[in-house]
Amino acid sequence: MELRHLRYFIAVAEEGSLTVAAEKRLHTAQPSLSRQIRDLEYEVGVPLLSRSVHGVALTAAGKAFLDHARLALTQADVAIEAARRAGRPEKSRFALGFLTGQEIDWLPEAMRVLRNELPTIDVSVTSDFSPVLAEGLMRGNLDLAFMRRETGADDITYRTVVKEALLVVLPSDHRLAKFDSIDLAKLEGTPFINVSDTAPALRKVIDRYLDASGRSIAAAHEADNLAMAVSMVASTRGFALIPGYIKNFLPWSVVSRPLKGKAPTIDLVVGYHKANTSPILAKFISRLDDLIERATKHMPR
């Protein structure tokens, strides 16, 4: 008895017809399939199928045999896959995380750094809020993340990638959209959309800037993510203060303008766990300066 006998028998049992099983499932001639089934029945010692002009049906012995035949094939497939895995060198894993939206600017250059290692490593990419990325680094689920500096994550090492100036985002037909830069004072009385605690580092920078400005600007709404902030700017006729990479996502209905005077900035950093000894991580960090130089050349100003 061979595995092909079991496959042939299962196909016939499931199709209920030697002809259909031969033509549609097994792509063989019906006489050849009939001979294989007879050989199997001879090996087992009892009839497994009853044949009639209406097709074939399982005998009591055939019904008992079917489940075991399926199990045997499953076990054979498992054995084959186990052997293949054992015969392949295990690939290293490298997990990258990105503050949502930043992957547009940084992922292509990150993959360029890893290009030579790609045949021997599995790279995964995650996009999420910065606090979630910090947790992933702490738990060992991520090797490196493009993120913000997060408090309470003392085991993470940070390196600054770029300082992002905050821009004013407002409706494209707003009275101030015609100016090349916008004075914060002129935004008093306009609904302000602040970020929520899902972005604590950015929220802290914005709040400090507004407090230091001495202007009477209080949040009318809070947004959990960039898409929500942009949508609320358009729908409430308000404005938001968002890092420069927002330019990658603006629809026609809103525009961005720099702030007049000294604008607040927020650091985009790469973070990685101090205890991570991955040689891939070490190589990535050694190429970080080159990565930054290449990526920033193509960013919108």
Side-chain angles (χ1 to χ4, degrees), residues 33 36 56 64 66 81 83 87 104 106 111 121 145 149 153 165 170 174 199-200 214 233 251 263 271 288 295 297:
L33 177 58
Q36 298 290 341
V56 296
L66 180 60
E81 183 56 30
I104 290 181
W106 298 98
M111 295 304 289
I121 64 173
R149 283 186 173 87
L170 69 171
H174 192 278
V233 165
L288 187 58
K297 284 181 180 178

Side-chain angles (χ1 to χ4, degrees), residues 96-109:
L96 281 169
F98 291 88
L99 178 64
T100 300
Q102 294 284 4
E103 62 272 17
I104 290 181
D105 288 327
W106 298 98
L107 179 58
E109 293 303 326

Side-chain angles (χ1 to χ4, degrees), residues 174-186:
H174 192 278
R175 60 184 175 82
L176 298 177
K178 62 184 178 181
F179 296 106
D180 293 334
S181 62
I182 295 178
D183 187 340
L184 184 67
K186 294 184 178 180

Side-chain angles (χ1 to χ4, degrees), residues 31-43 51:
S32 174
L33 177 58
S34 297
R35 185 167 58 253
Q36 298 290 341
I37 296 298
R38 285 197 299 271
D39 290 344
L40 176 62
E41 289 176 318
Y42 177 81
E43 184 72 22
R51 298 157 176 81

Side-chain angles (χ1 to χ4, degrees), residues 26-292:
L26 302 173
H27 306 291
T28 188
Q30 189 269 331
S32 174
L33 177 58
S34 297
R35 185 167 58 253
Q36 298 290 341
I37 296 298
R38 285 197 299 271
D39 290 344
L40 176 62
E41 289 176 318
Y42 177 81
E43 184 72 22
V44 174
V46 293
L48 301 174
L49 300 170
S50 62
R51 298 157 176 81
S52 70
V53 294
H54 302 294
V56 296
L58 291 171
T59 64
K63 292 177 182 178
F65 187 77
L66 180 60
D67 288 339
H68 291 283
R70 286 173 171 153
L71 178 59
L73 283 184
T74 298
Q75 290 174 328
D77 290 339
V78 169
I80 291 169
E81 183 56 30
R84 287 174 176 168
R85 284 198 304 269
R88 290 193 298 257
E90 186 175 352
K91 281 192 172 185
S92 299
R93 168 186 170 274
F94 192 70
L96 281 169
F98 291 88
L99 178 64
T100 300
Q102 294 284 4
E103 62 272 17
I104 290 181
D105 288 327
W106 298 98
L107 179 58
E109 293 303 326
M111 295 304 289
R112 183 191 297 272
V113 169
L114 297 171
R115 179 175 296 166
N116 292 336
E117 284 75 29
L118 289 179
T120 60
I121 64 173
D122 285 323
V123 178
S124 63
V125 177
T126 299
S127 173
D128 218 318
F129 298 117
S130 184
V132 177
L133 298 176
E135 184 178 353
L137 291 171
M138 294 294 291
R139 292 179 176 272
N141 298 326
L142 292 174
D143 291 296
L144 180 138
F146 289 75
M147 57 189 295
R148 307 298 183 198
R149 283 186 173 87
E150 300 295 339
T151 58
D154 296 336
D155 291 330
I156 297 178
T157 297
Y158 297 109
R159 284 188 56 180
T160 301
V161 172
V162 68
K163 289 183 176 295
E164 298 179 276
L166 269 58
L167 303 175
V168 179
V169 176
L170 69 171
S172 56
D173 59 351
H174 192 278
R175 60 184 175 82
L176 298 177
K178 62 184 178 181
F179 296 106
D180 293 334
S181 62
I182 295 178
D183 187 340
L184 184 67
K186 294 184 178 180
L187 289 167
E188 286 185 290
T190 302
F192 172 51
I193 293 88
N194 204 352
V195 297
S196 72
D197 289 336
T198 58
L202 178 58
R203 175 66 178 259
K204 186 178 296 185
V205 169
I206 293 173
D207 288 348
R208 285 177 178 172
Y209 172 69
L210 294 179
D211 289 344
S213 73
R215 300 297 173 183
S216 179
I217 296 176
H221 307 281
E222 291 186 356
D224 290 337
N225 54 60
L226 290 178
M228 183 178 178
V230 170
S231 177
M232 293 185 74
V233 165
S235 62
T236 66
R237 309 289 301 166
F239 78 98
L241 297 174
I242 303 179
Y245 76 102
I246 187 65
K247 289 182 178 181
N248 291 321
F249 306 97
L250 295 183
W252 64 268
S253 56
V254 299
V255 295
S256 65
R257 296 288 184 267
L259 282 159
K260 187 169 291 186
K262 187 176 181 181
T265 62
I266 186 169
D267 288 349
L268 178 71
V269 301
V270 292
Y272 52 94
H273 200 286
K274 294 176 181 178
N276 190 333
T277 60
S278 165
I280 304 170
L281 173 62
K283 178 167 185 178
F284 195 98
I285 296 301
S286 73
R287 298 278 304 279
L288 187 58
D289 289 341
D290 179 58
L291 183 153
I292 294 169

